[in-house]
């Protein structure tokens, strides 16, 4: 909005001049239209067929993602996939192939533990062909850790030397790093209250790229443009808090339009930036919302606290959920209940974060997120690991995906009941989550309506005349007749079951001609919530 306001301000100031010169006026309006489209384009995920949610297939192999797009994601209304970093990374063997090795690039060749460039290209093509977008996790703030050593211990076997900051496959040399601008004793970030440290020093020892250099900007945008040309729809940009907004703006400005084989002419890559802002630090998410969407970490942290009923929080307090809770504008936010970092205690949110380890409250939180209009939603799809919690800290938070003895990632096997095997959790395949992804598509564009609560932990709300959700998080039964806003008829609850043909495998809800329906949800129900929508009407 800021950009629009400024631009219109320029237009108003030049009105008299333009009225006298019709041609200049046309040109001015053309420039204005271009500026407005540029400023808003990076906020649009470009999802197809009215789809609305992204799923993060964390650490999945490209071959498995391609198959999942075709057999499951497209048929079930998922709009896109966030993939793990595809760039060449360091290979770490102590600890054994941790998940975070992929966040330590040594170059921009497209081979990783998820597969090689040919497999990546095949996956992007196949997913695009069924209308499922691919969003790349782009690691552009840094290269590998300063202690990464020298050799060819990398995912494509390229040589690098972290000691001398030599990455010949790019190539980057010691000239391309920020060390000269960092004034801490260790060379690392020591104080998050110092903006210069946070952006010029090393994040946990990772070699910090000098993104103000034209050469570095060129190499980063070259990498991102190659992916755009292959067919990706956008990027989750890692560690944005640690980069100057002006440097990011310069990089985004160099990005190509999306590939017209799958996207409309002039479409700009969707950008969502990882900025952890829970308050209390000088760097805020607001410094980045002009450039693209931003990950709203307050969302999962606060929702976890509410669903867990910590600190006296109640579901009834969510009547102004979103901006009313101090979050960024809905048009700027990318929201999630948990992500790959904070589900293992990294990143932000601490112990309040709900994950697949707590399936019942997790499904409630994800269901609420997908029913609520705020933000662009991302669903997590995880792998299990052997947790070893000592003094509240998981000693095994480093563990990588299900792997063979040599460290290569295992495929994702699909069981006859459509769950996943071999340690892959596949939350996106849980009936309750999948059906709420569909619910969000059905109610897309409808306002929040018919809010009801009991002053405690029982709430309900609708989305116009297209959908309605009722949640019981109290320690007693919910028993109420509520205004759903839906047309009269019999609806199938998509949480306890779903509509299959003309029958319902779950609870049936009778909505009267006045839009009212009776709900009874036991506090001990397997899933203490009910959701109905226009497409679940029998």
């Amino acid at each position: 909005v800021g950009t629009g306001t400024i631009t219109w301000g320029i237009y108003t100031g030049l009105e008299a001049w333009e009225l006298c010169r019709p041609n200049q006026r046309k040109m001015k309006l053309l420039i204005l239209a271009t500026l407005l489209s540029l400023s808003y384009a990076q906020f649009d995920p470009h999802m197809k067929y009215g789809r609305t949610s992204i799923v993060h297939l964390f650490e999945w192999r490209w071959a498995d993602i391609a198959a999942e797009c075709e057999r499951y994601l497209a048929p079930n209304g998922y709009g896109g996939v966030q993939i793990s970093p595809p760039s060449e990374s360091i290979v770490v063997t102590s600890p054994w192939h941790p998940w975070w090795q992929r966040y330590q690039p040594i170059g921009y060749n497209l081979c990783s533990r998820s597969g090689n460039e040919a497999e990546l290209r095949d996956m992007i093509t196949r997913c695009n062909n069924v209308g499922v977008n691919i969003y790349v996790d782009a690691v552009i703030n840094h290269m590998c850790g300063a202690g990464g050593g020298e050799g060819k211990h990398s995912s494509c076997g390229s040589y690098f030397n972290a000691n001398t900051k030599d990455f010949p496959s790019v190539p980057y040399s010691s000239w391309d790093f920020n060390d000269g601008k960092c004034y801490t004793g260790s060379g690392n970030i020591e104080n998050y209250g110092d903006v210069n440290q946070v952006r010029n020093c090393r994040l946990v020892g990772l070699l910090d790229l000098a993104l103000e250099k034209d050469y570095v900007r060129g190499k980063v945008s070259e990498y991102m443009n190659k992916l755009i040309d292959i067919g990706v729809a956008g990027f989750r940009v890692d560690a944005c808090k640690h980069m100057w907004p002006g440097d990011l703006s310069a990089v985004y400005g160099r990005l190509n339009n999306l590939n017209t084989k799958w996207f409309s002419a002039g479409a700009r890559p969707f950008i969502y930036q990882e900025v952890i802002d829970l308050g209390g630090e000088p760097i805020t998410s607001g410094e980045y919302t002009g450039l693209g969407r931003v990950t709203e970490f307050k969302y999962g942290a606060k929702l976890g606290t509410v669903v867990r009923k910590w600190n006296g929080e109640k579901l009834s307090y969510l009547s102004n959920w979103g901006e009313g809770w101090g979050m960024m504008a809905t048009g700027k936010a990318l929201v999630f209940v948990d992500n790959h970092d904070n589900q293992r205690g990294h990143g932000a949110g601490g112990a309040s974060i709900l994950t697949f380890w707590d399936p019942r409250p997790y499904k409630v939180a994800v269901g609420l997120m997908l029913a609520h209009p705020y933000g662009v939603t991302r669903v997590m799809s995880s792998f299990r690991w052997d947790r070893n919690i000592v003094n509240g800290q998981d000693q095994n938070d480093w563990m990588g995906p299900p792997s063979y003895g040599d460290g290569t990632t295992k495929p994702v096997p699909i069981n006859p009941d459509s769950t996943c095997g071999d340690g892959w959790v596949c939350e996106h395949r849980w009936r309750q989550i999948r059906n709420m992804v569909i619910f969000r598509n059905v109610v897309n564009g409808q306002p929040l309506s018919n809010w009801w609560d009991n002053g405690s932990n029982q709430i309900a709300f609708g989305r116009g005349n297209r959908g309605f959700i009722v949640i019981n998080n109290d320690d007693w039964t919910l028993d109420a007749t509520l205004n759903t806003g839906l047309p009269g008829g019999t609806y199938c609850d998509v949480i306890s079951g779903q509509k299959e043909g003309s029958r319902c495998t779950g609870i049936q809800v009778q909505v009267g001609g006045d839009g009212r329906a009776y709900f009874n949800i036991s506090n001990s129900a397997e899933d203490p919530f009910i959701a109905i929508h226009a497409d679940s009407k029998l």
Side-chain angles (χ1 to χ4, degrees):
V1 176
T3 317
T5 313
I6 292 164
T7 314
W8 283 112
I10 293 168
Y11 167 62
T12 314
L14 296 171
E15 241 167 359
W17 175 78
E18 281 163 342
L19 288 170
C20 308
R21 297 182 166 84
N23 287 346
Q24 280 96 328
R25 184 163 179 268
K26 275 183 194 159
M27 178 56 81
K28 188 77 186 72
L29 285 171
L30 187 67
I31 291 168
L32 169 66
T34 309
L35 279 172
L36 283 173
S37 66
L38 275 178
S39 62
Y40 292 116
Q42 286 165 193
F43 302 87
D44 178 2
H46 306 295
M47 288 190 237
K48 315 269 193 345
Y49 313 124
R51 297 172 187 168
T52 53
S53 293
I54 297 169
V55 57
H56 183 191
L57 296 180
F58 181 49
E59 283 284 8
W60 280 43
R61 297 156 65 246
W62 308 146
D64 290 314
I65 295 175
E68 190 74 346
C69 282
E70 294 166 341
R71 72 190 168 205
Y72 198 87
L73 300 180
N76 288 292
Y78 280 93
V81 179
Q82 177 181 313
I83 63 172
S84 289
S87 49
E88 185 173 14
S89 73
I90 193 170
V91 171
V92 176
T93 50
S94 180
W96 187 252
H97 298 274
W99 63 268
W100 43 255
Q101 72 179 23
R102 293 185 73 163
Y103 289 87
Q104 298 200 27
I106 64 97
Y108 300 129
N109 290 323
L110 298 176
C111 45
S112 65
R113 72 195 293 171
S114 288
N116 60 31
E117 182 175 331
E119 290 165 316
L120 176 71
R121 286 175 176 271
D122 177 64
M123 177 268 286
I124 292 168
T125 296
R126 287 166 61 188
C127 290
N128 275 331
N129 284 346
V130 291
V132 179
N133 294 348
I134 299 298
Y135 306 102
V136 169
D137 196 342
V139 185
I140 61 175
N141 170 67
H142 54 262
M143 299 301 276
C144 68
E150 175 192 11
K152 293 186 176 182
H153 48 296
S154 55
S155 49
C156 313
S158 301
Y159 170 86
F160 68 98
N161 187 341
N163 308 320
T164 58
K165 307 188 202 53
D166 186 28
F167 298 92
S169 75
V170 180
Y172 287 141
S173 70
S174 59
W175 294 101
D176 301 315
F177 294 86
N178 265 335
D179 297 332
K181 295 213 303 290
C182 173
Y183 301 111
T184 63
S186 62
N188 295 332
I189 301 167
E190 295 172 5
N191 171 17
Y192 272 80
D194 180 340
V195 173
N196 290 293
Q197 268 188 51
V198 176
R199 291 176 175 152
N200 294 338
C201 296
R202 297 173 183 172
L203 169 63
V204 295
L206 299 165
L207 295 170
D208 202 66
L209 283 166
L211 207 59
E212 84 281 358
K213 286 189 61 176
D214 190 68
Y215 176 76
V216 176
R217 291 173 178 178
K219 286 298 176 186
V220 165
S221 53
E222 189 179 293
Y223 161 60
M224 295 171 81
N225 278 331
K226 181 173 182 177
L227 290 162
I228 289 169
D229 295 348
I230 294 171
V232 308
F235 302 90
R236 176 251 185 203
V237 186
D238 181 65
C240 286
K241 182 196 287 189
H242 304 283
M243 294 178 275
W244 294 94
D247 294 342
L248 286 171
S249 180
V251 169
Y252 303 159
R254 294 186 182 201
L255 298 182
N256 296 343
N257 290 339
L258 299 183
N259 188 323
T260 52
K261 182 173 179 186
W262 294 292
F263 302 97
S264 54
R268 300 294 295 154
F270 177 50
I271 302 283
Y272 57 108
Q273 304 161 102
E274 185 210 16
V275 181
I276 299 174
D277 173 14
L278 295 174
E281 289 179 28
I283 296 176
T284 65
S285 52
E287 295 174 50
Y288 296 86
T289 48
L291 304 174
R293 286 194 184 246
V294 175
T295 51
E296 181 50 278
F297 278 88
K298 290 171 185 163
Y299 193 98
K302 291 180 174 184
L303 189 57
T305 304
V306 172
V307 173
R308 292 180 188 275
K309 298 189 269 196
W310 286 358
N311 311 328
E313 293 285 9
K314 297 177 173 138
L315 283 185
S316 58
Y317 297 162
L318 297 178
S319 59
N320 64 341
W321 182 237
E323 291 98 336
W325 279 60
M327 296 181 216
M328 64 187 78
T330 180
K332 307 288 190 178
L334 186 289
V335 299
F336 46 96
V337 171
D338 64 325
N339 80 339
H340 69 279
D341 272 318
N342 64 18
Q343 70 171 197
R344 38 180 60 69
H346 288 233
S352 74
I353 298 298
L354 286 164
T355 70
F356 69 87
W357 296 110
D358 307 295
R360 192 169 180 264
Y362 184 68
K363 286 180 281 183
V364 169
V366 175
L368 197 157
M369 171 183 80
L370 291 168
H372 196 280
Y374 181 83
V376 167
T377 45
R378 180 179 65 194
V379 169
M380 185 65 201
S381 193
S382 317
F383 57 81
R384 281 185 187 81
W385 69 96
D386 294 322
R387 291 194 295 182
N388 177 24
I389 295 169
V390 180
N391 297 328
Q393 194 60 44
D394 182 4
Q395 303 303 302
N396 288 342
D397 61 4
W398 56 269
M399 285 188 164
S403 299
Y404 295 111
D406 63 355
T408 56
T409 305
K410 286 183 175 179
V412 179
I414 307 299
N415 299 321
D417 66 357
S418 98
T419 61
C420 301
D422 251 359
W424 299 96
V425 182
C426 293
E427 300 96 313
H428 70 284
R429 280 176 166 258
W430 295 1
R431 180 188 69 243
Q432 302 85 344
I433 292 177
R434 173 200 67 221
N435 285 346
M436 286 308 298
V437 164
I438 294 167
F439 177 106
R440 189 177 192 81
N441 294 344
V442 173
V443 304
N444 188 27
Q446 295 290 317
L448 188 114
S449 54
N450 296 305
W451 176 274
W452 169 88
D453 66 68
N454 70 339
S456 184
N457 288 292
Q458 298 178 2
I459 64 168
F461 61 88
R463 296 290 302 278
N465 62 354
R466 300 281 293 167
F468 194 72
I469 186 169
V470 188
I471 304 174
N472 180 15
N473 202 36
D474 270 327
D475 300 325
W476 59 87
T477 299
L478 181 153
D479 189 84
T481 298
L482 304 172
N483 180 19
T484 66
L486 298 180
T490 304
Y491 291 80
C492 184
D493 168 39
V494 299
I495 304 305
S496 56
Q498 60 205 4
K499 178 179 162 184
E500 292 180 3
S502 58
R503 56 187 282 272
C504 174
T505 61
I507 296 163
Q508 293 189 24
V509 177
Q510 302 294 333
V511 176
D514 59 356
R516 293 169 70 77
Y518 171 67
F519 295 92
N520 184 287
I521 304 175
S522 165
N523 53 301
S524 59
E526 181 191 349
D527 291 301
F529 64 113
I530 287 175
I532 55 176
H533 59 74
D535 289 358
S536 79
K537 190 176 184 186
L538 296 173

